[in-house]
């Protein structure tokens, strides 16, 4: 049995069909943005609307529609939630064993100047947490650290939300780009390079942008622009090089470690600290009373789990080992979906069956490398099996609702792809013609604003970007990458992310509204920067990755 897609509904025109095809998106927008319902509830309602759309409007057989949704949910559970689970478990191991306190102290003792502390913690250390764990962890941890150092709740939250932008595309060991590759079928290495080309210019200016946006241009006096420039250059250059030549998994981790090292080196060479600039110096002591000075050995031991993570991710990317692990993978043709749906012109040049294969690569998955690093850390930090089991159960309880959210959003994405709704929207977006590269970033921005996740936005809109790019003769890799890079600029206005920051800092309701208004203008500006870069790459530099 096969079923052929159709892209115009009820015999009406493209714009009418597009409005119907967008009803799942409108549902998420209203529930999240207007009614402020929980993300998991919005996801379930959005999935119900998508099923009704697929079966009632696109005339997709119910069994195929349910199978497509289950395929998306399965992809959400593995490899996405698999990697998130172990990334957070690794963080919790360092926390429970007390090593995270040492990590935090090692970062926060270096300078009393709040501008430099913001660069170290919100920008560099936050990017490290994004690369290692993601999914709200960097905002929660970095904002808590800043308030612990004496920052007020609004300033701490605003800094962390602004900083948690360009690293997000490579967050949680690059799960947004892995998801983008999975939903679009584009090569992971080329997507990584294209996203790096879009994010690196933003990373270059981000430290200076943080300082100016919070304290104005005068805050750059006293040569503070020097560490800001050094931190931006260190992060951006490594982000660009690693994303191009090593792949996406270690991009954030290596870039943030380089930025932290560069900033620490600059601070050690800083002869005129912040004399005469008391307004930028926190009165609160950095070191907690009664806490002894940290030795280099203690600091290195505390950072050992993340060192092991770097080693494991590198090993998993080593071609001979990667080939061996991939040979153990199992490809499962998804029942009632694989080669059952037929894509039709003008989306494809001629009718073609739509494959649906679930790749069960337990051993080769990035999450398994993180699991290995976690188990090695448990051994090296001498954590008892009982403690470790408690950590695992705690992480599982914490992630129950996020897992449900990820699974439902990916179910929506896959169902929209297989029923033809994404294709309908892609045909509509192609009407923007030459300006599509700019609006491509805006589409990703909208997706992250709605879902709070670059991973979810890539799953929702990645295929749409590819379809539109092919119709307009644009590079599909660049357009898919623009979705991810533009999307991260919507992270700071996502209600879920703002709620995380507010909970971490104890922010008042009034300050939460103020925070949304503050981040909104920066979010729009930075998303426009990404859209402008995409236009330059297409029409001025003529970059292509395919």
């Amino acid at each position: 049995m096969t079923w052929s897609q159709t892209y115009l509904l009820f015999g009406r025109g493209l714009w009418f069909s597009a409005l119907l095809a967008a009803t799942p998106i409108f549902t998420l927008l209203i529930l999240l943005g207007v009614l402020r319902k929980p993300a998991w509830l919005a996801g379930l309602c959005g999935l119900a609307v998508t099923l009704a759309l697929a079966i009632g409007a696109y005339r997709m057989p119910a069994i195929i529609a349910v199978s497509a949704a289950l395929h998306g949910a399965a992809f959400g559970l593995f490899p996405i939630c698999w990697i998130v689970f172990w990334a957070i478990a690794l963080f919790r191991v360092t926390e429970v064993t007390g090593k995270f306190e040492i990590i935090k102290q090692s970062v926060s003792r270096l300078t009393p100047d709040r501008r430099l502390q913001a660069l170290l913690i919100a920008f560099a250390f936050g990017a490290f947490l994004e690369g290692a764990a993601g999914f709200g962890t960097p905002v929660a941890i970095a904002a808590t650290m800043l308030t612990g150092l004496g920052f007020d709740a609004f300033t701490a939250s605003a800094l962390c939300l602004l900083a948690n932008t360009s690293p997000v595309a490579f967050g949680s060991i690059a799960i947004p780009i892995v998801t983008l590759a999975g939903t679009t079928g584009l090569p992971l290495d080329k997507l990584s390079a294209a996203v790096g080309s879009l994010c690196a210019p933003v990373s270059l200016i981000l430290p200076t942008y943080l300082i100016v946006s919070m304290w104005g241009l005068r805050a750059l006096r006293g040569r503070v622009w020097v560490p800001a420039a050094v931190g931006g250059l260190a992060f951006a250059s490594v982000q660009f090089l690693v994303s191009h030549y090593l792949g996406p998994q270690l991009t954030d981790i290596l870039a943030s470690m380089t930025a932290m090292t560069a900033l620490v080196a600059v601070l050690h060479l800083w002869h005129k600290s912040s004399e005469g600039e008391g307004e930028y110096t926190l009165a609160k002591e950095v070191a907690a009373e009664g806490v002894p000075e940290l030795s280099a050995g203690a600091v290195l031991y505390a950072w050992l789990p993340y060192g092991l993570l770097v080693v494991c991710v590198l090993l998993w990317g080593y071609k001979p080992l990667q080939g061996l692990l991939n040979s153990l993978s199992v490809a499962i043709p998804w029942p009632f979906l694989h080669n059952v749906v037929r894509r039709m012109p003008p989306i494809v040049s001629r009718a073609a069956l739509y494959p649906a294969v679930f790749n069960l690569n337990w051993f080769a998955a990035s999450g398994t490398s993180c699991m290995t690093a976690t188990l090695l850390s448990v051994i090296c930090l001498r954590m008892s099996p009982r403690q470790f089991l408690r950590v695992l159960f705690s992480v599982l309880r914490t992630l129950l609702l996020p897992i449900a959210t990820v699974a439902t959003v990916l179910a929506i994405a896959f169902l929209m792809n297989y029923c033809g709704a994404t294709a309908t929207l892609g045909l509509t977006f192609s009407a923007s013609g030459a300006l599509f590269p700019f609006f491509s970033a805006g589409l990703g921005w909208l997706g992250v604003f709605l879902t709070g996740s670059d991973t979810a936005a890539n799953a929702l809109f990645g295929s749409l970007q590819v379809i539109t790019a092919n119709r307009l003769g644009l590079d599909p890799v660049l357009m898919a990458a623009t979705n991810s890079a533009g999307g991260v600029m919507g992270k700071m206005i996502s209600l879920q992310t703002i709620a995380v920051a507010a909970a971490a800092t104890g922010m008042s309701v009034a300050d939460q509204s103020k925070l949304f208004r503050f981040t909104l203008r920066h979010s729009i500006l930075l998303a426009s920067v990404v859209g402008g870069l995409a236009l330059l790459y297409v029409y001025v530099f003529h970059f292509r990755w395919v």
Side-chain angles (χ1 to χ4, degrees), residues 343-352:
R343 289 186 287 186
M344 305 296 291
I347 297 303
V348 289
S349 57
R350 56 184 178 180

Side-chain angles (χ1 to χ4, degrees), residues 83 87 90 131-132 170 172-174 178 242 246-254 305-319 321-322 325 363-374 376:
I83 193 172
L90 179 64
F170 297 95
S172 194
I173 318 181
V178 171
V242 174
L246 288 182
Q249 286 87 353
L250 281 176
T251 298
D252 272 353
I253 293 175
L254 295 180
Y306 291 107
L308 290 170
L309 175 63
V310 171
V311 172
C312 288
V313 172
L314 282 173
L315 282 174
W316 257 248
Y318 181 55
K319 294 298 182 184
L321 179 61
Q322 190 179 66
L325 295 176
F363 296 99
S366 296
T368 305
S369 69
C370 190
M371 179 190 74
T372 304
T374 304
L376 290 173

Side-chain angles (χ1 to χ4, degrees), residues 5 7 183-184 186 343-344 346-348 354 416-418 420-430 436 460-477 479-480:
Q5 291 181 341
Y7 310 116
T183 56
T184 62
L186 295 171
R343 289 186 287 186
M344 305 296 291
I347 297 303
V348 289
Y354 203 164
M416 287 182 70
N417 286 346
Y418 280 95
T422 302
T424 300
L425 292 173
L427 293 172
T428 308
F429 266 87
S430 65
F436 179 71
L460 275 174
F461 296 135
S463 292
L464 185 153
Q465 300 276 10
V466 171
I467 290 168
T468 307
N470 286 330
R471 282 185 56 83
L472 295 175
L474 300 171
D475 183 352
V477 172
M479 292 302 95

Side-chain angles (χ1 to χ4, degrees), residues 25 29 32 165 429 437-454 456-458 460-462 465 479-496 516 519-531:
I25 299 172
L29 175 62
L32 288 172
T165 49
F429 266 87
F438 182 84
F439 291 107
S440 176
L443 187 61
W445 174 86
L446 176 64
V448 177
F449 165 64
L450 293 176
T451 65
S453 165
D454 197 42
N458 286 344
L460 275 174
F461 296 135
Q465 300 276 10
M479 292 302 95
T482 303
N483 187 89
S484 188
V488 301
M489 305 310 170
K491 185 86 168 178
M492 69 180 83
I493 58 170
S494 165
L495 297 181
Q496 297 95 304
F516 179 79
T519 54
L520 179 61
R521 61 178 183 268
H522 295 289
S523 178
I524 294 172
L525 175 61
L526 291 172
S528 299
V529 169
V530 174

Side-chain angles (χ1 to χ4, degrees), residues 327-384:
S327 68
L328 302 174
S329 301
V330 179
I332 304 173
W334 199 258
F336 305 107
L337 187 63
H338 178 61
N339 288 338
V340 170
V341 175
R342 183 184 287 109
R343 289 186 287 186
M344 305 296 291
I347 297 303
V348 289
S349 57
R350 56 184 178 180
L353 294 177
Y354 203 164
V357 178
F358 183 73
N359 187 23
L360 190 61
N361 58 339
W362 284 108
F363 296 99
S366 296
T368 305
S369 69
C370 190
M371 179 190 74
T372 304
T374 304
L375 295 176
L376 290 173
S377 298
V378 168
I379 296 170
C380 292
L381 299 181
R382 298 182 177 88
M383 191 179 197
S384 70

Side-chain angles (χ1 to χ4, degrees), residues 131-166:
F135 291 87
T137 301
V139 172
I141 299 301
T144 302
M145 291 173 67
L146 289 178
T147 53
L149 293 171
F151 287 73
D152 64 82
F154 173 82
T155 302
S157 299
L159 283 166
C160 292
L161 290 175
L162 287 174
N164 193 222
T165 49
S166 59

